DNA sequence: ACAGTCATGTTAACAGCATAAACATTCCGA
DNA sequence: TCGGAATGTTTATGCTGTTAACATGACTGT
């Protein structure tokens, strides 16, 4: 296992000035994103806040876009981890599937800027199509696992793929609409909308 | 004096140099958005391309954000019109409802930058909550009409609201995921994913 | 018709941004 | 120890949004 340079590894102190600048930049970027609603990060601002010259970051990133991609990778990793934790907490089966959906939306709402960045532009890595081996694909793996727990294993793969896209679209759209201020950020609403589709096998945990 | 033949003139002739600059800026903005994937419009670029000084636009827009909002308003108007046309083309009932969903996604895919702009940031007007009287609310009105055609009129308004959010989230998420390159832009896929929910008819009925 | 006001344009200037080129330093392996 | 690679700095270029001060043309009230 190679050391993943992307991970947020804040060595306690005495770190970066002549240490690991790349990691420090990513850590600070995440920190700034966490306290912002819109991902308008600036290289200069990061460098300044890091006590380093503006152009120093070019030794570690090809440009602004490269830094943003690194942050996006971290974002998708966190999202996947959050979903995985929610699924485990819920046990298994349909409940776990719904939990991943709710976790998706809640993570997005809790991390607006990072979520926006993660899915911004066409330059981002294609999550669904990649071979789901990397650590950053936990999100899609959770989706597939959820599908498996709801649809019988013998269902045609076309149905499974369609269901996956359906579920993903639902939570993704709900998250985006909430972030756009078009739908209220109400846990009850989120749960209800998600349950409506994610429980599709049996329908209606919510309707009773 | 030279009338710029490139621009899509809203006002018939005798255009903008000492005419209607605001309209010209919006028209050019839309034109530029149409040939771009990402809404990185620049005030200076627009002014330059319009043959006018950079600061002239400040006589008509409070700032860049204001111009973007004007463009977003035009975007939501076009989206609603597209949905309305699709619904009428489809006749009525469930088919029309599905058609509005497909139209939503297809319009978004056909106008990536404008669609992104329309739903970017929290500063945009809240479509769902406003009183649906203005011309720009056709999109939400279509959504409600579609819901009405699928859910029985006597259904509790909570169910109707939930169904509306559900449908909206689905198409919105599907559009965004396609634009993010995560789902293939395949008409067959769009139709299938949309039909899955928009034809639910039964989804809510199951609960009763 | 004339004067004044207001809408609309102009130029100049400021601060901030991403990025590139040339230069300096530090570190590490042969 | 020496030389090159890695890392950081200064300087410079050209972009951006935005403000301030100034010009000018058109409309309006008397």
């Amino acid at each position: 296992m190679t050391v993943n340079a992307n991970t947020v590894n804040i060595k306690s102190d005495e770190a970066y000035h002549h240490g690991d600048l790349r990691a420090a930049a990513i850590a600070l970027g995440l920190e700034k994103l966490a306290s912002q609603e819109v991902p308008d990060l600036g290289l200069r601002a990061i460098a300044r806040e890091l006590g380093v010259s503006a152009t120093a970051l070019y030794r570690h990133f090809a440009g602004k876009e490269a830094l943003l991609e690194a942050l996006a990778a971290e974002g998708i990793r966190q999202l996947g981890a959050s979903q995985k934790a929610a699924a485990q907490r819920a046990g298994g089966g349909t409940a776990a599937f719904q939990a991943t959906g709710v976790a998706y939306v809640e993570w997005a709402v809790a991390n607006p800027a990072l979520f926006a960045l993660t899915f911004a532009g066409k330059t981002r890595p294609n999550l669904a199509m990649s071979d789901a081996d990397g650590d950053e694909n936990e999100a899609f793996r959770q989706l597939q696992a959820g599908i498996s727990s709801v649809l019988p294993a013998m269902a045609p793969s076309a149905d499974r793929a369609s269901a996956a896209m359906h579920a993903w679209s639902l939570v993704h759209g709900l998250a985006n609409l909430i972030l756009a201020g078009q739908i209220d950020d109400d846990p009850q609403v989120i749960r209800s909308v998600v349950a409506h589709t994610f429980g599709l096998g049996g329908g209606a945990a919510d309707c009773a």
Side-chain angles (χ1 to χ4, degrees), chain A:
Chain A
M1 287 301 144
T2 61
V3 171
N4 190 344
N6 281 355
T7 50
V8 193
N9 199 357
I10 302 185
K11 292 287 191 173
S12 54
D13 33 20
E14 178 99 26
Y16 47 79
H17 189 74
H18 244 228
D20 194 348
L21 180 60
R22 177 184 171 98
I26 293 181
L28 182 63
L30 288 174
E31 188 181 335
K32 284 173 80 74
L33 283 179
S35 59
Q36 261 170 266
E37 294 206 338
V38 150
D40 62 344
L41 284 194
L43 278 189
R44 286 182 110 95
I46 289 184
R48 195 183 318 126
E49 220 154 322
L50 227 42
V52 94
S53 149
T55 57
L57 294 170
Y58 283 82
R59 298 296 171 193
H60 302 272
F61 304 95
K64 185 184 184 181
E65 195 60 24
L67 171 55
L68 262 42
E69 276 176 32
L71 292 174
E74 179 64 21
I76 190 65
R77 221 202 84 249
Q78 286 186 16
L79 173 55
S82 169
Q83 285 184 279
K84 187 176 183 180
Q88 289 175 341
R89 211 178 306 123
T94 299
F97 188 36
Q98 289 186 14
T100 63
V102 173
Y104 189 103
V105 178
E106 284 179 345
W107 185 87
V109 171
N111 305 273
L114 188 49
F115 176 74
L117 184 61
T118 299
F119 288 97
K122 237 189 237 296
T123 72
R124 302 279 169 272
N126 190 307
L127 307 177
M129 298 310 172
S130 52
D131 292 58
D133 230 16
D135 190 28
E136 70 280 344
N137 270 3
E138 185 62 36
F140 190 66
R141 208 178 303 123
Q142 285 300 318
L143 176 63
Q144 288 182 313
I147 299 288
S148 297
S149 75
V150 170
L151 283 183
M154 70 280 279
S157 75
D159 284 5
R160 305 170 68 85
S162 178
M165 289 185 293
H166 187 89
W168 194 5
S169 294
L170 182 82
V171 291
H172 193 74
L174 180 57
N176 272 111
L177 286 174
I178 290 176
L179 290 179
Q182 301 293 346
I183 290 183
D184 280 345
D185 177 13
D186 178 355
Q188 189 73 28
V189 167
I190 295 177
R191 175 178 299 268
S192 132
V193 171
V194 170
H196 200 282
T197 282
F198 276 63
L200 60 111
D206 166 61
C207 298

